Amino acid sequence: MTLNRVPLTEQGCARHQQGLSRLGVPPHPLETGGPATADTPQLVGTTPAAFTRLNAIAATRLGVSPDKYAHLVGMAPHHLADDRYRHPASTNVRIWELMTLQAPWHEVSLHMAHHSTLGTLELWDYLLTQAPTPLEGIRDAAHFIATVADAGTEALHIEENEQHITLSHSNAADLTDDVASAIRAYALSLFRPRISQITRRAITPTRVALAARAPRTHQSLIQLYGTRAIDFCSPVNSITFKATDLTTPQPHAPGLSALLRRHAKQALAESVPLRDWLDVFRATIRAAPASDIPTLRDAACRMSLSTRTLQRRLEEHQTTWSQELQALRCEHTVRLLSSTDLPLNTIAGQVGYADTGGLRRAVQRWTGQPVAALRAHNDDSRQAGPSIARDSS
């Protein structure tokens, strides 16, 4: 149904309430030159710091008190300000829930869009806008959806014909109806202003389809998409443009897209997920200077906990301070052996061993390999060492 008509059936809306993951609609092929490959980390269950910061700022300006979300995992100022960290998708969902309690879902979408100026979403914005054509930028943005969202629940699909190109956005997260409507409407709205900016002319979609019910007032959605051609109770959320609007070459720096794709892979590979309290704890002890061996008291102080409370929280997560410290020493040792030429006695001292003999025995126990094997790997490739299981001894 179009924006200025009453829906004739509730079937589409009923299916929307069940979540797009259960619609029974077959997934479209992701037309990005193939799906994200194994060397592109997906970091399921997390979102980048830039998106979390944007949500927090927008929520506060909408009138949501920061006290209502400051306690959530990943919202500590030093985690929020550091782009290395990935915050729990659940933290962002909760912020959106608070916003939809403050305003109708379509007004929340428009509010978020107003705060999402070009560059706010950082790397994803540049993947989208710095390609030879808008369509190629959209393909890069779809392929690297993890640079802006939770790749475990979000996907962008592209369908092309001679006249039109349709972008379909799906979100398979378990969301309330208003939150789902707000997030999905917002996600579609990101493309029109960015395409208009990079093509240096106003681009208007030929059609927008939303799985949500039509709201009583429409003005916010007209502003969001720049058109009245909006359908509701659709099986999928999509936005359609003229093919010529997305395939016309645009000014760009040769080779920049390839550079951005490499940077996206590297940034995702080096990200630190903060999915739960244990991830936050591990990030905290990793943040200690490499030359220092963290102590229980120091870690507790950094997390604003007593040592006993910290030990109790570790027990709740089925681990101990000793196990975590051993895992950290293992990780640090293997990294030094496989990526530096430091003498063994120097490495032993840095990771808390009195001599190289203790270091050798520990490496053999942790990795099942002698030190020489890791050093040989260093000489051959300068890549990271083998994956390490956490030592329970």
Side-chain angles (χ1 to χ4, degrees):
M1 79 152 237
T2 56
L3 183 141
N4 43 11
R5 296 182 196 159
V6 176
L8 300 178
T9 173
E10 294 294 315
Q11 181 182 9
C13 291
R15 294 170 75 194
H16 170 59
Q17 289 177 330
Q18 299 171 11
L20 284 175
S21 60
R22 286 164 272 182
L23 282 175
V25 179
H28 303 285
L30 184 61
E31 303 210 7
T32 61
T37 53
D39 63 342
T40 305
Q42 297 302 291
L43 301 162
V44 170
T46 67
T47 58
F51 186 57
T52 310
R53 286 195 299 268
L54 170 63
N55 290 336
I57 291 169
T60 301
R61 292 178 180 173
L62 193 62
V64 177
S65 170
D67 292 342
K68 293 184 177 181
Y69 58 77
H71 65 284
L72 299 173
V73 174
M75 295 304 292
H78 58 284
H79 291 149
L80 198 59
D82 193 332
D83 285 334
R84 292 176 302 167
Y85 293 116
R86 301 272 303 189
H87 304 123
S90 58
T91 289
N92 289 278
V93 169
R94 179 55 184 158
I95 295 173
W96 279 78
E97 288 174 348
L98 293 169
M99 286 194 286
T100 57
L101 292 173
Q102 196 77 15
W105 66 264
H106 47 95
E107 293 182 13
V108 171
S109 297
L110 180 61
H111 176 74
M112 282 292 300
H114 282 166
H115 286 83
S116 302
T117 54
L118 183 63
T120 305
L121 298 174
E122 296 186 353
L123 183 54
W124 187 82
D125 270 343
Y126 300 116
L127 285 164
L128 175 61
T129 59
Q130 299 303 313
T133 67
L135 179 57
E136 290 177 72
I138 291 168
R139 287 173 174 157
D140 284 345
H143 187 87
F144 291 102
I145 193 74
T147 61
V148 73
D150 176 8
T153 58
E154 305 267 349
L156 180 67
H157 311 284
I158 306 169
E159 294 182 15
E160 303 176 50
N161 60 40
E162 291 184 0
Q163 286 78 37
H164 296 99
I165 296 173
T166 297
L167 315 179
S168 299
H169 168 260
S170 62
N171 182 307
D174 185 13
L175 305 171
T176 65
D177 194 55
D178 279 353
V179 174
S181 298
I183 290 176
R184 294 164 185 165
Y186 162 73
L188 290 182
S189 76
L190 293 172
F191 295 95
R192 181 181 68 92
R194 283 156 175 75
I195 294 169
S196 296
Q197 285 180 285
I198 60 180
T199 57
R200 295 179 174 84
R201 58 191 180 90
I203 300 296
T204 302
T206 61
R207 179 177 179 268
V208 175
L210 299 176
R213 292 185 179 90
R216 292 183 179 180
T217 58
H218 303 148
Q219 192 57 40
S220 58
L221 291 173
I222 295 172
Q223 292 181 47
L224 196 62
Y225 300 115
T227 181
R228 296 184 64 87
I230 304 174
D231 296 341
F232 294 93
C233 291
S234 299
V236 293
N237 296 271
S238 65
I239 187 166
T240 301
F241 296 96
K242 293 179 182 177
T244 53
D245 286 338
L246 302 191
T247 56
T248 302
Q250 63 185 28
H252 67 284
L256 182 56
S257 287
L259 180 64
L260 288 168
R261 288 192 292 270
R262 289 196 297 271
H263 179 58
K265 286 185 180 181
Q266 182 178 359
L268 291 171
E270 294 175 354
S271 294
V272 179
L274 303 176
R275 296 185 179 89
D276 55 23
W277 180 89
L278 189 57
D279 278 343
V280 173
F281 164 77
R282 288 170 176 166
T284 299
I285 62 174
R286 284 192 185 100
S291 58
D292 293 343
I293 300 173
T295 66
L296 177 63
R297 183 181 296 276
D298 288 341
C301 182
R302 288 177 187 148
M303 299 190 73
S304 301
L305 300 172
S306 69
T307 55
R308 181 63 196 124
T309 299
L310 176 56
Q311 288 175 316
R312 186 170 61 251
R313 295 292 297 272
L314 290 171
E315 289 169 4
E316 291 170 357
H317 287 81
Q318 300 181 327
T319 186
T320 66
W321 171 255
S322 177
Q323 287 175 270
E324 293 300 318
L325 187 58
Q326 280 289 89
L328 180 65
R329 293 171 81 184
C330 168
E331 180 183 302
H332 190 199
T333 300
V334 172
R335 182 171 63 250
L336 292 174
L337 288 171
S338 61
S339 62
T340 76
D341 294 319
L342 291 172
L344 287 187
N345 60 339
T346 301
I347 294 176
Q350 286 193 14
V351 297
Y353 287 97
D355 54 47
T356 59
L359 175 68
R360 291 179 186 277
R361 288 189 294 273
V363 170
Q364 182 71 44
R365 185 175 71 252
W366 289 331
T367 71
Q369 298 182 66
V371 166
L374 298 181
R375 279 276 141 121
H377 186 66
N378 179 23
D379 293 339
D380 290 341
S381 63
R382 290 283 181 176
Q383 295 178 357
S387 59
I388 308 299
R390 288 189 173 265
D391 190 346
S392 59
S393 61

